[in-house]
Amino acid sequence: MILTKNLKVTVNNSVDAYVYLVVNDNTQGLVDYTIDDGWILLDGYSNVYYREVASDAENKDFTVLKNDTVSYSSELTNADMLDEDGNLKEDIELTFSALAIQKIKSNDEEWSAGDAYFYLMDGYVNDDVNTKADFAEAITNDYFNITVTENITKSFYTIKVYTVNGTINADGNILGTSLYLYSGTLTINGDSSNFALSYGTVWSSGVVVNNEGTVLNINGGKYINSTNNKGVITANTGATVNINGGYYQGIKGSTDNTWAFLADGGTIYVNDYEDIYYRGTDVANKSDSSTYKAINGGIIYAKADIFDGSISSSSQVSDSTVTINGTEYYVITEAE
């Protein structure tokens, strides 16, 4: 059965713009439709489409549905309208909403369609974070995508972020900062060959990820922690850390020790890193006990082709490797 639905988005813009179409489909598979040509699915979303609309200050109509129709099977019966408990399915609806934003930001730079939509949905987008105030404002938003363009030296001694959903792109350094995450997901991208990102001074506590479901993805940067018996990167109970690059510096001495990766009840996947080095001892002579430590039920998965055997004496490595999503890991757990 085919139904005609003549839905259009009308745009009147005096500047170049991104126009978004947001689809809220709660038809539970009962209705079929196709979004019309010209709308592009926004990367990272399954229900958001966009198009670029040039300025001309005239009304422009864009069709939402291909052929202006939706359809449903003529073979549907009353049973199809019932849920698994035999109750009538509720709130079955298909709705569309439209949003628009100028393509050029206030600083005369063009932003991507993804960043512009992110901003529209109350996210914080800033490609020029170069002061303590900018950085503080950015990371206290629930959603952010920022680029650190200048060195921010000794900006804070400790930052605690209780809800984090964002990305830090590090072209500059963030120094003198200990970072604690309590929920959400943070991704850090940095030019690690230039030590682009550095959380922590020699007296800092590194980066600590807390609570069930909190995720930290590190794709580069430099991370320092010189606090005795701590981790440069620590995953507490329920938290997950994915190490995909970066430099990690701790301390190694006769009594003091800092582990690069400490799984204190949480889970750490070590897929890649540039280097691990220690203050207080020559890199070439560092002990084989200062890279990985797992305690309190924590687990570290160290990718097999980069594992160097450097584990704490209070931890142990499984006798064989495991394969997760096609990647082979050694499993490091607390010693029995």
Side-chain angles (χ1 to χ4, degrees):
M1 181 72 68
I2 296 176
L3 298 177
T4 299
K5 299 290 183 181
N6 187 14
L7 304 178
K8 298 183 185 301
V9 174
T10 300
V11 181
N12 184 325
N13 56 309
S14 58
V15 295
D16 294 345
Y18 291 116
V19 178
Y20 300 92
L21 177 68
V22 182
V23 183
N24 181 19
D25 184 348
N26 192 34
T27 62
Q28 302 181 45
L30 298 175
V31 177
D32 292 322
Y33 59 93
T34 301
I35 300 299
D36 201 16
D37 298 338
W39 295 102
I40 303 168
L41 184 64
L42 187 61
D43 188 35
Y45 297 85
S46 61
N47 68 322
V48 180
Y49 299 80
Y50 77 98
R51 66 197 308 146
E52 298 181 30
V53 181
S55 62
D56 61 11
E58 295 182 1
N59 286 345
K60 295 167 286 292
D61 292 331
F62 301 102
T63 303
V64 171
L65 297 169
K66 194 173 185 65
N67 300 321
D68 288 328
T69 60
V70 298
S71 64
Y72 61 92
S73 174
S74 59
E75 298 179 358
L76 288 176
T77 67
N78 290 338
D80 294 308
M81 303 301 296
L82 303 178
D83 62 22
E84 59 185 12
D85 296 323
N87 300 316
L88 187 66
K89 293 178 179 178
E90 297 181 351
D91 300 324
I92 296 176
E93 61 181 7
L94 174 63
T95 60
F96 302 88
S97 57
L99 303 164
I101 190 171
Q102 64 190 49
K103 192 174 176 182
I104 305 300
K105 295 186 287 185
S106 58
N107 62 358
D108 294 329
E109 294 181 1
E110 180 178 320
W111 54 11
S112 69
D115 276 355
Y117 180 74
F118 191 77
Y119 178 82
L120 273 174
M121 303 309 292
D122 294 326
Y124 184 96
V125 179
N126 189 331
D127 292 330
D128 191 20
V129 175
N130 55 26
T131 68
K132 292 184 289 185
D134 283 347
F135 188 66
E137 181 181 0
I139 65 174
T140 53
N141 283 262
D142 284 351
Y143 296 89
F144 59 86
N145 184 6
I146 63 172
T147 298
V148 178
T149 56
E150 303 289 344
N151 293 341
I152 302 175
T153 304
K154 294 187 181 302
S155 53
F156 302 89
Y157 290 106
T158 299
I159 297 177
K160 295 183 178 181
V161 186
Y162 291 95
T163 302
V164 54
N165 291 285
T167 301
I168 297 174
N169 305 293
D171 293 338
N173 299 313
I174 305 170
L175 303 173
T177 301
S178 302
L179 181 64
Y180 288 75
L181 309 177
Y182 290 90
S183 69
T185 299
L186 174 64
T187 298
I188 302 176
N189 303 312
D191 183 2
S192 57
S193 63
N194 291 325
F195 294 169
L197 183 66
S198 178
Y199 275 109
T201 63
V202 294
W203 303 114
S204 78
S205 298
V207 184
V208 182
V209 189
N210 300 282
N211 299 334
E212 186 74 31
T214 310
V215 178
L216 171 64
N217 302 306
I218 296 180
N219 299 323
K222 180 183 179 183
Y223 304 85
I224 304 172
N225 187 3
S226 296
T227 303
N228 188 28
N229 292 322
K230 299 292 184 180
V232 177
I233 307 295
T234 301
N236 285 334
T237 301
T240 301
V241 175
N242 299 298
I243 303 294
N244 303 310
Y247 292 77
Y248 302 86
Q249 176 180 332
I251 56 173
K252 181 63 186 175
S254 59
T255 58
D256 295 339
N257 197 45
T258 301
W259 297 274
F261 311 117
L262 172 60
D264 188 355
T267 304
I268 301 178
Y269 294 87
V270 183
N271 298 298
D272 195 13
Y273 56 81
E274 299 292 339
D275 196 8
I276 295 172
Y277 53 109
Y278 296 94
R279 184 177 67 87
T281 186
D282 188 274
V283 172
N285 297 320
K286 70 176 183 285
S287 165
D288 284 341
S289 64
S290 298
T291 301
Y292 309 102
K293 182 175 183 178
I295 57 175
N296 297 322
I299 301 176
I300 298 175
Y301 295 93
K303 192 175 178 182
D305 60 2
I306 66 167
F307 179 68
D308 61 6
S310 300
I311 66 168
S312 165
S313 59
S314 58
S315 302
Q316 64 182 5
V317 181
S318 60
D319 294 334
S320 59
T321 60
V322 300
T323 299
I324 302 173
N325 296 328
T327 300
E328 188 179 32
Y329 294 95
Y330 284 99
V331 181
I332 301 169
T333 59
E334 190 169 6
E336 296 179 353

